[in-house]
Amino acid sequence: MKLAVHVRHSKEHDTFQAWCPDLVGCSATAASEPEALDLLRRRIDLHLAQSAKRVPPGTRVVMLTLLIAAAFAGCMTTSDDPDAAPSVVASQLSPTDAAAVLALANYPGTDDALLDTQVGLDSRAAKNIIAHRNGADGVSPSADDVPFTSLDDLDAVPYVGDSAFAKMTAYAQAHPLPAPETVEGVAFAGWESQAVVWGVDTLDEATLDGLLDTRAATGLVAKRPFTTVAQMGPVSYVGTTALRALHGQAQAWWGLMRAGSTSTLAGVFDGVSFDEPTAEVALQIANLATPAQLAANGVNTAGAQRIVGERAFATVAAISAVQGIGSATMRELHAYATSGAWVAPGTGGSTCASAFSDAVAPHLPSLLFLSESDRPFDIVSFPGAGATAPTAASVLALVGAEAGSTSLARDPNDYYADLEPEGSPDALAVQAAFGAQLTDVVYVAVFKPASDIYNAEVDVYLVGRTSCGDLVGIHAISIET
């Protein structure tokens, strides 16, 4: 493979720019020509290495030859790009116009349709600009965006030349974009400022309260609407901490703003980004999942206990605000919400788990576990936890027992024998359901720590595996002194 490389010297900045017209975004600027070429060579190597991952097996890059052009009149090129030469228009732009053109290219609200139909660029230039800026995921704003940092970077994009710069300048002058701001030391890009202003002006006080000091949220609601973030700075209790929290919501609020939504759920919480669908599921989980379900799906025991102890929650922000819940628990909650394992009560779920529940649930109200306890039975379900046979240790982990608890495996027949009234039709029906629908049935007793004043209460579980890969069963309390 042969790739042409162009080099030019900027008298204004006394720098050298090298770029490859055939590789979108491959350019480099340095103080000397050798440095610029060395940097470009490394960027081309990286580009080809990344591209090689997508090349079909059996295909290989034979060779890369850099053809250095000292003067543009005699340079070689494998590109049909009529705008391969450096733009004269770009070199003559004022600093203000140059900044406006870069802002237009980098603004996440700018897409290829706008550049093509409204700005009037060649459709190939429009697509190449957006593809470069959006990065590998094709989405902006996102973590892998590649913003243009200079006009040279933009000029290196195929099919971007004098015409494109002239049209982008005229459009940017007629359609100024939100200006960047720095308030209390917190820097906001123009789009971030726009998104934060929208969020503070639009969302309800409860949402803001979940993110900020209550006094800051109340003050912002009382003073809104705002047109800039700078106007929020003087509001009482709105300082660096509050502004950083608002800055953290910019990406999520941008998406909601563009979608025309006033949802209060999506956002970034303890560094974990929840989009709207994920936030909705996470909120359901936090409000409805049992400690056992949380533990079975990867939520740490301490975090699960805090979630259960503090619910109900109205927002995901309220979950993250619970004392002791941080980024680890929020990441685990996010993973659970996106795993597909959660099934809200009353909405169905595994056919096997539902069949077991249908067979057992009608009989449990008539039964008690033989002990001094009169606690009723309840059905337990651990979706996806039946890939292997359950043990005393695995059940202990699944049920989310408090720290220091221990477990012991017992004979399942002893569990059946302790169903009262013994030998009743209800007891026999429950035993029959276990025998017909489950395999690897185990009886596990979970003991509280000796220091617990309620350590005489032993949680007794009878669980087994379904053919769908779930773990299901029944649970009761046994008083053992």
Side-chain angles (χ1 to χ4, degrees), residues 280-335:
E280 289 178 354
V281 176
L283 191 60
Q284 278 191 11
I285 292 171
N287 283 324
L288 300 173
T290 65
Q293 287 175 309
L294 291 168
N297 288 278
V299 179
N300 67 85
T301 301
Q305 290 175 342
R306 290 186 176 103
I307 287 173
V308 172
E310 294 293 331
R311 61 192 184 196
F313 301 104
T315 65
V316 179
I319 303 170
S320 70
V322 172
Q323 182 73 24
I325 288 183
S327 57
T329 301
M330 295 306 291
R331 281 195 299 271
E332 292 161 357
L333 181 60
H334 185 282

Side-chain angles (χ1 to χ4, degrees), residues 1-2 61-65:
M1 177 190 295
K2 292 185 178 181
V61 176
V62 178
M63 182 175 65
L64 169 65
T65 302

Side-chain angles (χ1 to χ4, degrees), residues 66-258:
L66 298 180
L67 304 173
I68 310 305
F72 295 109
C75 70
M76 299 179 64
T77 178
T78 59
S79 172
D80 62 352
D81 178 8
D83 294 304
S87 168
V88 175
V89 172
S91 67
Q92 296 174 346
L93 290 179
S94 69
T96 299
D97 285 340
V101 168
L102 289 175
L104 175 61
N106 290 328
Y107 182 61
T110 299
D111 56 19
D112 53 356
L114 182 146
L115 292 176
D116 183 9
T117 61
Q118 297 187 43
V119 181
L121 302 191
D122 182 301
S123 61
R124 294 168 295 183
K127 285 180 168 47
N128 288 336
I129 289 171
I130 300 306
H132 177 286
R133 183 203 67 198
N134 286 2
D137 67 0
V139 176
S140 180
S142 67
D144 73 343
D145 286 0
V146 186
F148 296 98
T149 58
S150 70
L151 293 182
D152 288 341
D153 285 347
L154 187 56
D155 195 11
V157 172
Y159 302 100
V160 172
D162 284 343
S163 174
F165 277 107
K167 291 176 179 178
M168 291 180 74
T169 301
Y171 187 89
Q173 290 172 341
H175 304 84
L177 294 171
E181 301 181 75
T182 299
V183 185
E184 301 281 350
V186 182
F188 295 80
W191 70 266
E192 291 173 328
S193 174
Q194 183 182 9
V196 167
V197 167
W198 175 88
V200 172
D201 284 350
T202 305
L203 301 179
D204 60 34
E205 186 171 346
T207 300
L208 299 178
D209 191 17
L211 299 168
L212 311 172
D213 182 298
T214 299
R215 296 166 295 184
T218 300
L220 288 170
V221 171
K223 297 288 186 181
R224 65 188 186 188
F226 300 95
T227 57
T228 65
V229 176
Q231 293 173 350
M232 303 176 195
V235 175
S236 297
Y237 302 100
V238 175
T240 302
T241 300
L243 290 166
R244 284 175 179 163
L246 293 173
H247 182 271
Q249 302 305 308
Q251 183 172 328
W253 287 354
W254 171 269
L256 294 176
M257 178 184 71
R258 297 285 290 181

